[in-house]
């Protein structure tokens, strides 16, 4: 009789958990994966994928407006929000079925239920059944965090509910200044909503390069989005179908919807972590793990957003794969968290990899900055008032490219390719030696020859 029912029990059927289950099963492990909601997790069901579909849909009206400059006469368009939501739901259902099928094809067993840890090797399912496992992997992700319990917080929606609104709001207030807040601001504005963004800091996109932050804000405001910084929502009143958001600066804003996107917290509640002695990281509230994703309990691991390390879907997938290779593939793999590319699907789009200028100047004594802003060729025909930002940060002593930041159409697509060069420690000379592909916006990355600024730390200059 086997010592345990399964070799690996995965809690959470999101991108990271699914990858870990499939790879472990491929290594010959007997695997069971439990998901209480829908297979695919945050990214597929209520995150990256439906968000990107909404972003693409919201671009259409601008494309129609721009068409006139290219000779097209298009009748006034009409938009139907319920059709968008219904078609999005069909696509998400298709992807969920694929996720489930791929896991099952790998040989792992999927159970659509909640699983709670009873001890380091035992889990109890919602139907009361218990399963014993040699190894447990927690991949339960994160959830929207509304912050302080202000009066009227029950009237506020998160990005989860935004995907299922019955109607497009004519006016919406969005609190937050990061990825999700700005992406939904662009989505709703693109579909015709009046959008106001409220953010407590002095500028949006905290942690990004300062030029990126300024450029994105300028471009968003050009598109009619109101951005109010240095304030927060302190109370939300409901009047029939309308809401009034009261701000810390004493003003108030009327809207049809109020959405908070101020951050996410790890899904650690009610998992039974305390039954097994799994420790929480006091600095971020996520499950504490080492470089191998191992928790304080030797046979229990955690990956993805529940650890609150780098909350990006591709990172969770990489962590899940590394875990499975290490524990079941006899091939120890640690995830390299340096130089991870990321994108914000705001409007305009942001793509970035490597260090910001502030980080580069703090770490390196000599930093050369190459920066260009210009009208894209499309805007010269459409007449749209918009500009692209391209920025490279270079170590002035070794010539290595330390960071690249792009704001504009296709920024994410461009940065994925640039990230390979940055990861390989390419130099500015390597960029310069690359023949430009013309006419493209990306050619600017290999044609910027003169630094816009050179920074030398005083101590280094002496």
């Amino acid at each position: 009789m086997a010592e345990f029912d399964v070799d690996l029990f995965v809690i959470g059927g999101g991108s990271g958990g699914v990858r870990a289950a499939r790879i472990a099963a491929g290594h010959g492990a007997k695997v069971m994966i439990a998901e209480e909601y829908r297979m695919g997790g945050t990214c597929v069901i209520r995150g990256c994928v439906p968000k990107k579909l909404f972003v693409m849909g919201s671009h259409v009206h601008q494309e129609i407006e721009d068409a006139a400059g290219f000779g097209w006469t298009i009748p006034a368009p009409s938009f139907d929000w319920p059709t968008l939501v219904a078609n999005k739901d069909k696509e998400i259902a298709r992807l969920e079925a694929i996720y489930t099928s791929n896991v099952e094809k790998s040989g792992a067993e999927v159970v659509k239920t909640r699983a709670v840890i009873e001890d380091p090797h035992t889990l109890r399912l919602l139907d009361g059944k218990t399963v014993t496992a040699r190894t447990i992997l927690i991949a339960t992700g994160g959830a929207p965090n509304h912050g302080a319990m202000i009066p009227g917080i029950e009237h506020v929606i998160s990005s989860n509910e935004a995907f299922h609104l019955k109607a497009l709001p004519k006016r919406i207030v969005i609190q937050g200044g990061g990825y999700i807040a700005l992406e939904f601001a662009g989505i709703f504005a693109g579909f015709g909503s009046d959008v106001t963004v409220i953010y407590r800091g002095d500028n949006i996109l905290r942690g990004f390069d300062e030029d990126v932050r300024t450029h994105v804000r300028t471009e968003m405001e050009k598109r009619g989005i109101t951005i109010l910084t240095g304030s927060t929502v302190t109370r939300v009143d409901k009047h029939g179908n309308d809401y009034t958001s009261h701000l810390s600066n004493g003003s108030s804003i009327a809207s049809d919807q109020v959405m908070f996107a101020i951050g996410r917290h790890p899904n650690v509640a009610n998992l039974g972590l305390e039954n097994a002695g799994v420790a929480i990281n006091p600095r971020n509230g996520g499950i504490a793990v080492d470089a191998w994703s191992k928790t304080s309990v030797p046979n229990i691991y955690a990956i993805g957003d529940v650890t609150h390390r780098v909350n990006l879907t591709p990172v969770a997938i990489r962590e899940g794969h590394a875990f499975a290779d290490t524990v079941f593939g006899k091939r120890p793999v640690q995830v390299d968290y340096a130089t991870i590319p990321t994108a914000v699907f705001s409007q305009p789009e942001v793509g970035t990899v490597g260090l910001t200028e502030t980080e580069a100047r703090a770490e390196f004594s000599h930093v050369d900055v190459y920066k260009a802003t210009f009208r894209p060729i499309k805007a010269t025909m459409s007449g749209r008032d918009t500009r692209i930002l391209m920025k490279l940060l270079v170590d002035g002593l070794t010539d290595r490219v330390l960071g690249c930041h792009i704001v504009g159409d296709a920024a994410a697509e461009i940065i994925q390719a640039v990230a390979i060069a940055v990861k390989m420690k390419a130099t500015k000379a390597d960029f310069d030696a690359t023949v430009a592909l013309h006419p493209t916006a990306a050619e600017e990355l290999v044609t910027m020859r003169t630094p816009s600024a050179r920074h030398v730390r005083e101590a280094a200059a002496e």
Side-chain angles (χ1 to χ4, degrees):
M1 187 174 181
E3 183 181 359
F4 300 102
D5 297 324
V6 296
D7 299 310
L8 172 64
F9 193 104
V10 181
I11 308 176
S15 299
V18 163
R19 175 59 63 90
R22 292 176 61 189
I23 300 303
H27 288 312
K30 185 177 182 181
V31 180
M32 182 178 287
I33 180 169
E35 171 55 55
E36 66 175 328
Y37 181 51
R38 297 178 68 181
M39 290 293 287
T42 296
C43 182
V44 173
I45 305 300
R46 51 190 177 272
C48 330
V49 175
K51 178 267 310 279
K52 188 72 180 289
L53 295 174
F54 275 24
V55 167
M56 289 188 289
S58 68
H59 285 171
V60 174
H61 190 254
Q62 179 175 301
E63 294 292 330
I64 292 172
E65 289 180 339
D66 289 350
F70 294 88
W72 289 90
T73 300
I74 299 175
S78 62
F79 169 69
D80 186 66
W81 174 265
T83 297
L84 170 70
V85 173
N87 289 341
K88 176 266 299 180
D89 288 343
K90 281 185 199 173
E91 175 59 11
I92 299 310
R94 185 186 73 85
L95 293 174
E96 181 187 10
I98 291 173
Y99 262 66
T100 302
S101 174
N102 285 344
V103 172
E104 292 173 339
K105 285 178 182 176
S106 74
E109 180 183 354
V110 177
V111 289
K112 299 287 185 74
T113 186
R114 183 173 183 81
V116 176
I117 298 171
E118 290 212 325
D119 64 43
H121 290 285
T122 308
L123 302 106
R124 182 172 296 277
L125 307 185
L126 199 58
D127 61 5
K129 177 185 175 183
T130 58
V131 179
T132 59
R134 184 182 305 277
T135 302
I136 297 172
L137 176 66
I138 304 167
T140 50
N145 174 23
H146 281 348
M149 290 295 293
I150 63 170
I153 194 71
E154 67 275 12
H155 305 312
V156 172
I157 67 169
S158 71
S159 55
N160 289 354
E161 293 77 36
F163 288 119
H164 300 283
L165 292 175
K166 299 297 183 186
L168 176 69
K170 293 179 181 177
R171 303 163 299 167
I172 186 167
V173 169
I174 301 176
Q175 177 163 256
Y179 290 77
I180 297 172
L182 299 191
E183 288 168 346
F184 273 96
I187 287 168
F188 285 118
F191 286 128
S193 302
D194 181 88
V195 180
T196 301
V197 173
I198 311 294
Y199 182 57
R200 64 179 180 175
D202 61 347
N203 203 1
I204 56 176
L205 288 177
R206 180 173 62 88
F208 283 74
D209 187 88
E210 290 299 323
D211 284 321
V212 170
R213 301 175 76 188
T214 300
H215 194 91
V216 172
R217 180 172 184 169
T218 299
E219 291 291 320
M220 288 181 70
E221 289 175 335
K222 283 181 187 176
R223 298 179 189 216
I225 296 172
T226 300
I227 300 176
L228 303 177
T229 50
S231 60
T232 59
V233 177
T234 57
R235 189 175 92 239
V236 179
D237 295 335
K238 190 175 191 301
H239 317 282
N241 294 322
D242 297 326
Y243 302 91
T244 300
S245 298
H246 298 270
L247 308 186
S248 56
N249 62 12
S251 64
S252 61
I253 305 170
S255 65
D256 311 359
Q257 288 287 350
V258 181
M259 174 179 166
F260 279 14
I262 60 175
R264 296 173 66 84
H265 59 80
N267 268 331
V268 297
N270 304 316
L271 292 177
L273 301 180
E274 64 285 352
N275 298 333
V278 176
I280 298 296
N281 185 334
R283 294 191 302 276
N284 62 23
I287 294 177
V289 291
D290 65 10
W292 303 99
S293 293
K294 185 184 292 185
T295 72
S296 55
V297 181
N299 70 295
I300 299 180
Y301 294 74
I303 59 167
D305 291 8
V306 75
T307 67
H308 222 34
R309 286 179 286 184
V310 179
N311 295 348
L312 295 170
T313 297
V315 174
I317 292 171
R318 183 64 61 91
E319 289 171 350
H321 202 133
F323 154 79
D325 281 345
T326 299
V327 178
F328 297 100
K330 297 184 174 62
R331 186 167 68 88
V333 178
Q334 284 190 359
V335 176
D336 180 5
Y337 293 96
T339 323
I340 296 172
T342 188
V344 185
F345 293 100
S346 50
Q347 298 179 43
E349 190 171 293
V350 177
T352 180
V353 65
L355 302 181
T356 66
E357 182 176 336
T358 299
E359 292 167 341
R361 291 174 63 180
E363 186 173 342
F364 294 86
S365 61
H366 295 66
V367 176
D368 294 341
V369 180
Y370 295 82
K371 182 172 66 175
T373 63
F374 54 93
R375 290 187 77 193
I377 189 170
K378 182 179 178 181
T380 63
M381 291 285 281
S382 69
R384 186 168 296 277
D385 180 16
T386 187
R387 297 184 71 81
I388 288 176
L389 168 69
M390 298 272 180
K391 183 173 182 179
L392 290 174
L393 299 163
V394 178
D395 182 348
L397 296 180
T398 67
D399 200 41
R400 179 162 69 93
V401 176
L402 305 173
C404 178
H405 308 276
I406 304 171
V407 182
D409 288 347
E413 302 290 347
I414 298 169
I415 211 69
Q416 176 66 89
V418 174
I420 299 170
V422 175
K423 189 72 173 177
M424 292 176 68
K425 297 180 169 54
T427 63
K428 182 63 168 62
D430 292 324
F431 276 61
D432 294 345
T434 303
V435 175
L437 197 162
H438 182 74
T440 64
E443 68 181 293
E444 197 73 24
L445 295 173
V446 299
T447 58
M448 291 188 287
R449 292 291 189 269
T450 305
S452 56
R454 278 195 152 132
H455 302 285
V456 179
R457 200 179 301 150
E458 287 188 16
E462 293 174 357

